[in-house]
Amino acid sequence: MTDIKNHLIPHMGDVLLTKLTSSHIQTTEAKMLSSGLSKRSVLHAHRVLSQALKHAVEKGHIWRNPCDMVRAPRITRASIEVPNPETVVDILKKAKNTLHYPAFHLLTYTGARRGEICGLRWDDIDFQNKRISIKRSAVTIKGKGVVMFPPKTETGKRNLAIDSETVDVLRAHKGTQLVRSLELELPHSDSGYVFTDALGQPLDPYVLTNTWRRMMSSMNITGVRLHDLRHFHASLLFRSNTHPKLVQERLGHSTISITLDTYSHSIPSLQRDAADTFAREMHQIDSSPER
């Protein structure tokens, strides 16, 4: 609705539905781009309009969808720079001296998103069976603070297996959180969230980002973002020959094609492994006794 109200109606809201042409749509989208909107935003608006016009066709209000004759903006996927394992290990060692080490560890070992980690509650953690449940994501909204939202897709709501070391890190963090809440003289509210501020309220995701940036600066490391821990998790799984479907499930992507499109071309070793595997198979066929 925001796209329709803010971008589509101002440019062509006075055009009769039966008079709407592909030219109107092309001109509108060109104006949106020239105003500074990203290609992604214009593409989203294009899809919203296309669906609305498709419905109009089905109802018999118009006989064809003019969006079908308009080429939507194409988004070029940015290449992903995955930090090398040695760098990540060094960063996590450094992070042990920070208050938010458990969050950084969990981001690395699960591939979850920053907001999903900040939205985690203690009752989402099954210590005995070593898994966590992603049920919500924390988002910072100006004027409202930290607000929880459910995952955008069904695949976003998921259970993630965790290893024994991560279980130990979370157990230790729970004990530290309890001790800290007793030591603080400030009024403390037990909200039940795993990662909290000094008052026990859900941690603002930007706090993790800012802490990470300061840590990178102190280590003279450039080009490694907090979100790159998610990319690192996925890339290490691929390099270990984990099935893409399992990687998709851990990341919470809506489709496996998103996972493959995102990572298959960004990990050169996958291409090398594919070439070596093919050559090895060909060699075995050529040397088979049956030939």
Side-chain angles (χ1 to χ4, degrees):
M1 291 298 293
T2 302
D3 292 310
I4 296 175
K5 180 180 178 181
N6 294 344
H7 305 302
L8 300 179
I9 290 179
H11 292 298
M12 55 186 185
D14 57 347
V15 180
L16 291 175
L17 182 60
T18 54
K19 301 293 184 179
L20 185 64
T21 66
S22 59
S23 180
H24 289 116
I25 298 171
Q26 285 177 324
T27 301
T28 294
E29 293 182 357
K31 289 180 179 178
M32 292 167 67
L33 287 170
S34 64
S35 70
L37 282 177
S38 67
K39 289 184 178 181
R40 188 177 300 276
S41 296
V42 178
L43 176 59
H44 186 266
H46 178 93
R47 288 172 175 170
V48 170
L49 179 61
S50 181
Q51 283 296 111
L53 294 175
K54 179 181 178 181
H55 185 68
V57 172
E58 293 172 351
K59 291 294 184 179
H61 299 310
I62 53 178
W63 68 277
R64 67 177 180 180
N65 185 344
C67 266
D68 292 341
M69 295 171 282
V70 177
R71 178 175 293 181
R74 301 185 67 177
I75 300 174
T76 303
R77 186 181 296 276
S79 61
I80 295 174
E81 297 293 333
V82 181
N84 64 62
E86 292 77 15
T87 299
V88 174
V89 169
D90 289 343
I91 291 172
L92 289 181
K93 286 180 179 179
K94 175 75 172 181
K96 286 186 177 181
N97 298 321
T98 72
L99 182 65
H100 303 302
Y101 167 70
F104 295 144
H105 177 98
L106 198 57
L107 287 167
T108 306
Y109 279 69
T110 63
R113 300 172 178 89
R114 178 189 65 171
E116 294 172 339
I117 292 300
C118 291
L120 199 64
R121 297 177 60 88
W122 285 114
D123 53 15
D124 297 326
I125 301 177
D126 185 341
F127 287 106
Q128 183 174 356
N129 294 305
K130 296 193 291 187
R131 65 172 177 238
I132 64 174
S133 298
I134 303 297
K135 299 178 180 178
R136 67 195 71 80
S137 184
V139 178
T140 306
I141 299 178
K142 188 175 181 179
K144 295 184 178 180
V146 180
V147 180
M148 297 297 165
F149 289 95
K152 294 180 180 179
T153 63
E154 282 301 311
T155 51
K157 186 181 294 185
R158 61 202 189 278
N159 293 319
L160 297 176
I162 55 177
D163 62 289
S164 297
E165 181 184 354
T166 300
V167 169
D168 292 341
V169 169
L170 290 173
R171 285 188 185 277
H173 173 62
K174 189 173 186 180
T176 301
Q177 187 185 68
L178 178 60
V179 172
R180 188 180 299 114
S181 69
L182 295 174
E183 291 177 345
L184 287 174
E185 296 180 0
L186 294 172
H188 185 277
S189 173
D190 184 9
S191 60
Y193 285 92
V194 176
F195 302 108
T196 61
D197 59 18
L199 298 179
Q201 294 304 303
L203 186 67
D204 186 330
Y206 285 107
V207 172
L208 288 180
T209 299
N210 292 334
T211 301
W212 179 267
R213 288 172 177 168
R214 288 194 298 270
M215 192 166 61
M216 293 302 97
S217 178
S218 69
M219 296 180 70
N220 292 319
I221 295 176
T222 59
V224 180
R225 307 166 304 163
L226 182 63
H227 191 72
D228 290 333
L229 293 179
R230 176 172 167 86
H231 297 322
F232 172 76
H233 183 84
S235 67
L236 201 61
L237 290 178
F238 274 122
R239 289 173 181 171
S240 303
N241 295 318
T242 302
H243 194 284
K245 184 63 178 176
L246 293 178
V247 180
Q248 176 212 342
E249 291 173 355
R250 287 188 70 79
L251 297 181
H253 286 158
S254 57
T255 64
I256 195 171
S257 63
I258 292 177
T259 309
L260 293 174
D261 287 346
T262 302
Y263 296 105
S264 61
H265 66 285
S266 64
I267 306 174
S269 62
L270 293 180
Q271 286 285 352
R272 291 194 297 271
D273 290 344
D276 292 342
T277 298
F278 183 85
R280 186 167 54 251
E281 292 296 323
M282 288 295 290
H283 178 73
Q284 289 178 355
I285 294 172
D286 186 49
S287 60
S288 173
E290 298 178 0
R291 286 184 55 81

